[in-house]
Amino acid sequence: MKKIAILGSTGSIGTQTVDILPSIDAQVTALTTNKRIGLLETQARALRPKMVCAFDEAAARDLKIKLADTDIRVLSGMDGLTACAAESGADIVVTAVVGMVGLLPTLAAIDAGKDIALANKETLVCAGELVMRAAREKGVKILPVDSEHSAIFQCAQAAQGNRIAKILLTASGGPFFGKTAAEMQGVTREQALRHPNWSMGAKITIDSATMMNKGLELIEAMWLYDMDPADIEIVVHRESIVHSAVEFADGAVIAQLGTPDMRLPIQYALTWPARVPCRAPHLSLTEIAKLTFYPPDYEAFPALGLARRAAREKGDRGAVLNGANEAAVGLFLDGKIGFADIAARVAHALDSIPYQRELTLDGVLAADAEARRLARA
Ligand code: NAD
Ligand code: MG
């Protein structure tokens, strides 16, 4: 039986992870939330983990009262999140928290020799170099949950020792596909939160609208598959059926297809290399009938170019890009800045913060803090 810790179990990926548990032979060792303690209590009573964490201190105090009749340990803050990742007795940790808050617990889990089912892309964007190095040193597997990266992982199994020449990273294009920058000037929070194909947390939904999500995924793919970002092509594919593809030296392209449902990539990260029946609906190609592909519009979606630049330059640029983006998306969701200001603030942070090539954990944390400060100023 596989022992699983789920960080961010109350979110979109977290609840879908809980949903597929009956399909796999698993025991949950830890669950965490920021503040959604009502749902966390329900999950904890059903799954009986050894420990749980509410990141928010006040929420953790309330959760402790709610779970007082159980023997489940209730923790809080970064120490609690890290303990759930590294000390709950898990074999594999699902990192489904949103944002770079996932970095320290992910590193702690790797250090403790736990495999990682990685949904939390911000961790690789900020510190991919450090995370992948730590995983290599500890012999830990990083199994991708992000649908595109799971697709690439599945396609890469056709490589048989051959190098992947190119990655075709597909993108839905988000709610504003086909619009010019000028047409997107005044879009509202509600419009940006209306994703055509996927139901996800607020932050990643805004990232999909700006297409920063695809930029973050470009960097995520670069680190996961040790690719030159120039060999990762972004392809807009409105139907979200082809989840991504890889190309080999002879020109053969291998793609993974499926309905847009995160439960398959989540489950595969937990059962790999086995495949077991999944609750996600199966694909009917004849019902879909038509698949379309377009080049991305780098002018209308400047976040793509900013992410490409950070991918090329490496060092602390991923941390700067991500920190500024997290802060700017937060401001947009709070109604404090406009849609176009998100990319503008990220660009400003990349232009203003001095470049550090050598990456250390302290350097990542410092770059992140400075990028957030600038983006909020
Ligand atoms: P979400 O907002 O729905 O859930 C986030 C989870 O993290 C919740 O459990 C929340 O309580 C917790 N959390 C939030 N802030 C926290 C903090 N400061 N400290 C500790 N915990 C905190 O987000 P989501 O859509 O599930 O996305 C989670 C991650 O997975 C993100 O990195 C996202 O990019 C990635 N991802 C999501 C999807 C998707 O379909 N939702 C697809 C691919 C990748
Ligand atoms: Mg994705």
Side-chain angles (χ1 to χ4, degrees), residues 300-341:
F301 297 97
L304 286 174
L306 295 170
R308 276 218 178 268
R309 169 174 157 198
R312 261 194 322 270
E313 294 175 0
K314 300 188 179 60
D316 68 352
R317 296 296 95 174
V320 171
L321 177 91
N322 181 73
N325 183 60
E326 281 193 32
V329 170
L331 291 173
F332 175 72
L333 283 170
D334 290 342
K336 301 222 167 80
I337 63 172
F339 187 72
D341 298 328

Side-chain angles (χ1 to χ4, degrees), residues 158-334:
Q160 298 287 327
N162 294 287
R163 207 179 66 81
I164 296 171
K166 195 172 153 186
I167 286 175
L168 301 167
L169 184 70
T170 52
S172 72
F176 305 135
F177 170 75
K179 290 201 190 304
T180 63
E183 287 166 342
M184 278 182 270
Q185 272 295 336
V187 302
T188 63
R189 180 182 184 276
E190 283 59 42
Q191 289 169 315
L193 282 171
R194 223 173 287 135
H195 195 279
N197 302 348
W198 299 95
S199 156
M200 310 179 287
K203 192 262 178 182
I204 183 175
T205 305
I206 300 302
D207 284 345
S208 299
T210 61
M211 290 199 76
M212 179 60 90
N213 183 49
K214 215 44 57 178
L216 302 178
E217 291 185 356
L218 170 89
I219 301 175
E220 184 185 10
M222 168 179 93
W223 291 120
L224 278 172
Y225 302 105
D226 193 20
M227 294 290 289
D228 181 336
D231 295 328
I232 304 175
E233 182 185 346
I234 296 169
V235 179
V236 176
H237 167 50
R238 297 294 286 157
E239 296 82 8
S240 297
I241 297 294
V242 175
H243 295 309
S244 277
V246 306
E247 185 179 308
F248 294 103
D250 57 3
V253 173
I254 313 283
Q256 187 253 330
L257 283 69
T259 51
D261 192 308
M262 287 306 297
R263 287 174 297 184
L264 172 59
I266 294 168
Q267 176 175 301
Y268 190 61
L270 294 172
T271 62
W272 175 85
R275 291 195 183 265
V276 300
C278 181
R279 291 182 161 188
H282 286 209
L283 180 64
S284 161
L285 277 179
T286 50
E287 254 170 53
I288 305 271
K290 199 167 112 189
L291 299 174
T292 59
F293 302 94
Y294 306 89
D297 184 342
Y298 281 85
E299 215 172 294
F301 297 97
L304 286 174
L306 295 170
R308 276 218 178 268
R309 169 174 157 198
R312 261 194 322 270
E313 294 175 0
K314 300 188 179 60
D316 68 352
R317 296 296 95 174
V320 171
L321 177 91
N322 181 73
N325 183 60
E326 281 193 32
V329 170
L331 291 173
F332 175 72
L333 283 170
D334 290 342

